[in-house]
């Protein structure tokens, strides 16, 4: 963990695993204001830990920062590090949320993992922590629930 971005402005390779990935944080320029920052990753991938087949998800992360913001390049590299990582949908989604909470200590964080069907069943995973302050606008994730073709 660092408060000075290590990867911003330099060439950085995709980490081999989430455990090896470095997440950078930067000071929040407005710690006196409650606001929501959103990251959307519509092409998240990981591997099924049983079959090794790829799993795909649309991940939406909303958080109300306190003293720190996550640096976006490091977040992109961290999320990309799941590409060769074997874990169940629930584990991937909650692990991302917990890692961000450990790094940022946000006032509120919500993560939604909308996983595409494999074996005919989509799995959506939602986790949040903290209390959303009154009056803070938290928009809908904008991701429609899976309806199939019929």
């Amino acid at each position: 963990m660092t408060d000075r971005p290590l990867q911003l402005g330099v060439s950085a390779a995709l980490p081999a695993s989430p455990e090896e990935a470095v997440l950078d944080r930067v000071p929040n320029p407005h710690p006196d204001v409650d606001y929501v920052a959103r990251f959307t990753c519509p092409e998240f991938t990981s591997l099924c830990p049983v079959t090794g087949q790829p799993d795909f998800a649309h991940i939406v992360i909303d958080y109300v920062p306190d003293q720190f913001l996550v640096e976006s390049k490091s977040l992109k590299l961290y999320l990309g590090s799941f590409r060769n990582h074997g874990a169940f949908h629930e584990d991937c989604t909650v692990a991302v949320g917990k890692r961000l909470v450990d790094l940022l200590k946000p006032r509120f964080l919500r993560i939604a993992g909308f996983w595409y069907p494999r074996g005919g069943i989509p799995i959506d995973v939602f986790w949040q922590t903290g209390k959303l302050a009154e009056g803070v606008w938290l928009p809908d994730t904008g991701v429609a629930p899976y309806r199939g073709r019929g």
Side-chain angles (χ1 to χ4, degrees):
M1 179 172 20
T2 176
D3 294 341
R4 201 178 100 240
L6 300 175
Q7 302 168 94
L8 190 60
V10 299
S11 179
L14 187 66
S17 71
E19 296 78 25
E20 293 179 25
V22 174
L23 272 171
D24 294 329
R25 66 184 188 183
V26 296
N28 178 3
H30 299 284
D32 59 322
V33 176
D34 286 328
Y35 63 93
V36 174
R38 170 173 286 176
F39 288 94
T40 303
C41 181
E43 297 177 349
F44 183 89
T45 60
S46 65
L47 298 177
C48 173
V50 177
T51 67
Q53 294 294 310
D55 288 320
F56 302 90
H58 188 136
I59 304 285
V60 179
I61 302 164
D62 292 310
Y63 74 103
V64 176
D66 192 3
Q67 297 302 308
F68 299 102
L69 307 172
V70 66
E71 192 284 310
S72 64
K73 179 179 179 182
S74 74
L75 180 63
K76 291 174 197 173
L77 291 168
Y78 170 62
L79 294 175
S81 74
F82 281 84
R83 164 184 263 166
N84 296 313
H85 178 73
F88 292 113
H89 302 149
E90 297 87 349
D91 184 23
C92 290
T93 306
V94 175
V96 170
K98 289 170 79 175
R99 178 99 182 253
L100 288 169
V101 167
D102 288 345
L103 175 75
L104 303 174
K105 311 287 188 271
R107 296 177 186 148
F108 172 85
L109 183 136
R110 171 181 80 178
I111 184 168
F114 299 90
W115 293 83
Y116 291 88
R118 279 216 329 113
I121 300 175
I123 299 173
D124 296 337
V125 181
F126 308 99
W127 183 75
Q128 73 180 37
T129 186
K131 185 171 171 80
L132 191 61
E134 187 174 328
V136 174
W137 178 44
L138 182 64
D140 182 80
T141 61
V143 180
Y146 186 77
R147 294 184 45 177
R149 293 185 180 206

